[in-house]
Amino acid sequence: MRKKLNKLIYVEEYVYINGIEQFLFHNGTSYDNPVMLYLHGGPGSAESLFTEGFQGKWEDLYTVIHWDQRGAGKTLTKNPDKYPTIDLLLKDLYDIVHYLKKKYNKNRVILLGHSWGSVLGSTFIKKYPEEVSYYIGVGQVVSMLDNERVGYEKVKELISKKNDIKSLKKLEDIGEYPDKEYSEEWLKKCLKLRKLQEKYKLAASMDLSISLIAFKSPIFKLSDIIALMKAFKSNGKLVEFLVNFNLKLETNKYEIPIFYIMGGNDWQTPYSEAEDYFNKIEAPLKKYYLIPNAGHMTMLDQPNLFFEALQDIAERHKGEN
C-alpha cells in the first residue's frame, strides 16, 4: 500500500446520505478551485482506487471528489444489503451535491460521468441543472442498445478480417444481439461479447497494469475486491435501467454547458454514437474531444491528452462555481 500523500485536501470519509453511510474520497490543492464530483462506471465499478493513475494534474484545476455509489466499492462494503435503484441514486447524488456545496462554500459543482456514470450524470443534469456548473461525459452512453449493436459489428469485423475461427464460433454462439429487452440471457450474452471485445482491445479490461494501480492505492483494502465481485448482484435494477437508457428519446436541449471526452478506440461506448448525438445537442456552450489511441478507460490510456482536454474546458468555462 502506498503512503498517503501530503496534500492540502486529502480526505477519506463516510457521510450519512439518504439513510446510509456513503464513501467519499477528496483530493485537491486549493480550496479556491471549483469542485468536481466524479461519477464512476459499472454500475458497481467504483473508480476511487484508480486516482493515482490519472488524477494528479487534475487537482491543479479542481478539487476532485470520488463517490463510491450505493451498491459499489466501500459504500457497498459498509451497506451490504442496501441495493440501488435509479431513484435512490438520484436522491443520493442530490444530497451529496448539496453536502459538497456547503463543505466547500460553492454555488454549484462540476459533474464528470464515466460510462454508467454518464447515464447517472446526464439524467441528473436534466432534472437539476441549477446544481451543476457544467457536465463532462467520458465514455458517454447515448443508447445502450445502439452501443451494443455497433460494438458487436465492430468486433465481428475484426474477427472476420483475422479469420479467427475460434472467436467467430464464440460470436455465433451468442446469436442474435442485442435483444431489445433486458433479461438474464441478455446479460450473459453481453458478458460473452465483452470477453471478445477485450481480446481485440475494444473494451475496458482489468489487466495487470490497471490492477496494480488499484492495489497500490492508499485507500485499497481486500474488501474492495469482494465488493467488485458482488457488483452484478447488487446492481441488477440499475443494469435493467441502463439497457433501456436512450438519450435520443429525450429533448436534446441542455441548460448548462456540455463537454464530451471520448476515446478513439472505444467500442464499448462507441465514440461515433456519442459524436452523432453530440452534434444535435443545444447547450449554452459545448465541445467534443476525441482522444486518439485511447479506449474506454480514456483517462488511464492517455492521461496527458485527457488533462489537456480538461485544461481547455476549464479555460472555456470560468463562470460561477
Side-chain angles (χ1 to χ4, degrees):
M1 183 181 292
R2 295 183 79 258
K3 279 188 165 186
K4 293 186 178 182
L5 303 179
N6 185 20
K7 299 180 182 180
L8 176 64
I9 302 171
Y10 184 98
V11 178
E12 301 171 58
E13 64 173 347
Y14 287 91
V15 182
Y16 192 78
I17 295 288
N18 197 17
I20 64 172
E21 291 186 280
Q22 306 204 31
F23 180 77
L24 299 177
F25 185 35
H26 311 241
N27 285 272
T29 58
S30 171
Y31 286 101
D32 292 331
N33 283 341
V35 169
M36 173 189 282
L37 178 58
Y38 185 111
L39 305 178
H40 67 68
S45 301
E47 294 171 45
S48 51
L49 296 176
F50 301 110
T51 57
E52 296 301 305
F54 63 84
Q55 190 177 288
K57 291 182 179 179
W58 297 22
E59 294 160 23
D60 293 331
L61 304 175
Y62 308 104
T63 298
V64 186
I65 293 91
H66 284 257
W67 162 42
D68 286 13
Q69 297 163 23
R70 183 186 297 255
K74 298 179 188 298
T75 298
L76 176 60
T77 299
K78 196 83 167 178
N79 309 274
D81 58 346
K82 301 297 183 182
Y83 293 172
T85 63
I86 187 61
D87 290 336
L88 277 173
L89 276 193
L90 287 170
K91 180 63 165 63
D92 291 346
L93 178 51
Y94 181 86
D95 289 352
I96 287 169
V97 166
H98 276 254
Y99 170 77
L100 294 176
K101 290 199 304 182
K102 183 177 180 181
K103 182 179 180 70
Y104 291 102
N105 192 28
K106 305 294 183 184
N107 294 315
R108 298 185 178 194
V109 303
I110 295 153
L111 287 186
L112 184 149
H114 176 231
S115 196
W116 154 256
S118 75
V119 173
L120 180 59
S122 295
T123 305
F124 185 86
I125 62 174
K126 293 263 187 167
K127 192 172 185 178
Y128 303 110
E130 70 282 357
E131 304 292 342
V132 181
S133 295
Y134 57 88
Y135 169 75
I136 303 172
V138 183
Q140 177 70 43
V141 178
V142 175
S143 163
M144 183 66 175
L145 290 179
D146 287 346
N147 282 354
E148 293 303 301
R149 174 182 52 78
V150 172
Y152 178 94
E153 292 300 327
K154 184 63 178 180
V155 76
K156 182 179 180 180
E157 173 192 329
L158 295 184
I159 288 171
S160 299
K161 279 184 179 179
K162 196 173 180 180
N163 197 27
D164 182 350
I165 303 301
K166 187 176 180 181
S167 293
L168 192 59
K169 177 64 167 61
K170 290 180 179 179
L171 199 63
E172 290 171 352
D173 288 343
I174 292 174
E176 289 285 331
Y177 186 81
D179 300 335
K180 292 183 179 180
E181 293 185 1
Y182 174 76
S183 65
E184 286 190 13
E185 187 61 27
W186 191 102
L187 187 56
K188 289 177 183 177
K189 289 182 178 182
C190 180
L191 293 175
K192 289 177 181 178
L193 180 64
R194 286 291 179 273
K195 291 293 184 184
L196 293 172
Q197 290 175 323
E198 287 173 20
K199 179 179 178 180
Y200 281 83
K201 302 189 184 303
L202 302 178
S205 176
M206 196 70 172
D207 61 20
L208 181 59
S209 61
I210 293 179
S211 299
L212 285 175
I213 293 171
F215 294 151
K216 291 180 179 179
S217 168
I219 64 170
F220 172 75
K221 293 182 178 179
L222 289 176
S223 57
D224 295 320
I225 298 176
I226 298 171
L228 186 59
M229 293 169 62
K230 292 180 177 178
F232 277 119
K233 179 183 177 182
S234 61
N235 286 275
K237 290 183 179 179
L238 292 185
V239 174
E240 184 173 358
F241 178 84
L242 173 60
V243 170
N244 294 312
F245 183 76
N246 190 349
L247 283 174
K248 299 174 188 177
L249 301 179
E250 304 175 17
T251 177
N252 60 0
K253 293 182 179 180
Y254 291 83
E255 296 181 33
I256 62 171
I258 303 293
F259 305 96
Y260 283 3
I261 306 177
M262 303 294 295
N265 291 340
D266 186 358
W267 293 93
Q268 185 170 333
T269 52
Y271 66 88
S272 55
E273 289 293 299
E275 186 172 12
D276 286 347
Y277 172 76
F278 186 85
N279 289 335
K280 299 179 179 70
I281 284 177
E282 296 179 25
L285 178 66
K286 69 174 189 174
K287 188 170 181 183
Y288 179 91
Y289 302 82
L290 186 63
I291 307 296
N293 301 314
H296 191 59
M297 298 299 288
T298 317
M299 68 290 292
L300 281 170
D301 292 339
Q302 292 287 354
N304 291 330
L305 292 178
F306 194 99
F307 176 66
E308 288 177 10
L310 288 183
Q311 280 184 307
D312 188 65
I313 291 170
E315 184 64 29
R316 287 171 180 273
H317 189 280
K318 291 184 175 180
E320 181 183 9
N321 293 299

